[in-house]
Amino acid sequence: MAKRRKPTAPKAPARLPVVKAGQPAATGGRPQSPEAQAKCREAGALIEKGALDRAEAILEALDPVKSRDETALHLLGLVKVRKGRVQEGMSMIDRSILVAPDAAWMRVNRAAVLQGRGHHERAIEDLEKAVDLAPGTAEAWSNLAASRSVLGDYPGAAAAAERAAALAPKSPVAQTAYGNTLARAGRLEAAAEAYRRALKADAGHLPGKAIPTIPVTGRAVVEGHQLDGAGPTTGCCK
């Protein structure tokens, strides 16, 4: 009988998120000017494409520290992390959340970075706050399930994965996470059904054979973006 693989820590997200720019009063920050909003949207689109140097130049030109623009500061922090300047980037991300503590999307983004570095306890703190602030965010629930699973909290992971699956029924990521937690609980028929839904959404998402036994990787999130099986897409340019 083949040995069952032990859950391993999720790797860093393949792509950084692009976030919805300019959410001033609702998050506790200062309202952005139309020009700053446009620049953040432009930078966000460049981050999505991997054009980090151009995004960095645009965001630094906004001088987010001096202007106290938490959205630009958060985006700039994500760029720094992606370019390997993790300490500098995390400092910016942390500062943006201090200014806008109720910005759920910022907390999900920070949690994704923490997950990629194996800091699941800290990630869970952000994700639990995020789902409290924005309970309809499927990515927050899915990422929460991943970190809980890594730490051995399988009942908690199952509950979070179920919420993510219900919020994003066509997402292969959410359905796979849910299937994994069901499989660990011994509910193999229900797990197989979740995997079938994942394959229906994206036939290339899972191996054609064998039920996966490792948790879904933590993924960063677009503000207001619903998982649709196509991976992160820009949510700032609508």
Side-chain angles (χ1 to χ4, degrees):
M1 181 180 294
K3 293 183 179 180
R4 186 170 178 172
R5 295 172 62 188
K6 295 182 179 180
T8 56
K11 297 180 181 180
R15 291 188 291 170
L16 284 175
V18 179
V19 299
K20 188 173 182 179
Q23 307 219 351
T27 62
R30 300 179 65 182
Q32 282 187 310
S33 67
E35 180 182 3
Q37 287 189 30
K39 291 293 184 182
C40 281
R41 292 189 180 101
E42 182 182 358
L46 290 169
I47 294 172
E48 179 74 3
K49 295 175 182 177
L52 301 179
D53 289 339
R54 290 170 61 193
E56 185 176 36
I58 290 170
L59 293 165
E60 287 184 337
L62 291 174
D63 197 358
V65 174
K66 184 176 181 180
S67 63
R68 296 171 60 190
D69 184 336
E70 80 280 3
T71 298
L73 185 63
H74 189 85
L75 279 170
L76 184 57
L78 292 173
V79 170
K80 301 290 187 184
V81 169
R82 181 63 177 271
K83 295 180 75 172
R85 294 151 66 179
V86 178
Q87 185 173 358
E88 181 182 5
M90 282 300 291
S91 176
M92 293 179 175
I93 292 169
D94 290 342
R95 289 178 66 178
S96 70
I97 293 175
L98 283 175
V99 176
D102 293 337
W105 60 271
M106 288 187 181
R107 290 185 177 275
V108 178
N109 288 342
R110 181 168 68 179
V113 176
L114 292 169
Q115 285 177 307
R117 298 183 66 77
H119 302 306
H120 293 283
E121 295 89 347
R122 291 172 59 194
I124 285 173
E125 292 178 8
D126 268 335
L127 291 166
E128 288 181 340
K129 180 66 174 177
V131 297
D132 182 55
L133 291 166
T137 306
E139 288 87 346
W141 288 107
S142 186
N143 286 4
L144 181 58
S147 279
R148 284 177 173 174
S149 182
V150 169
L151 296 181
D153 178 11
Y154 298 124
E162 184 175 14
R163 288 293 297 272
L167 287 166
K170 295 183 180 181
S171 164
V173 174
Q175 296 303 324
T176 301
Y178 188 35
N180 289 347
T181 60
L182 290 169
R184 289 193 188 92
R187 297 171 58 189
L188 299 184
E189 290 186 7
E193 182 59 33
Y195 295 139
R196 279 192 287 269
R197 289 194 295 269
L199 286 167
K200 184 177 180 180
D202 180 359
H205 184 69
L206 297 174
K209 302 177 181 179
I211 294 175
T213 57
I214 57 174
V216 64
T217 56
R219 293 180 62 181
V221 54
V222 176
E223 159 70 4
H225 172 62
Q226 291 297 312
L227 285 163
D228 59 5
T233 58
T234 179
C236 64
C237 304
K238 296 179 181 178

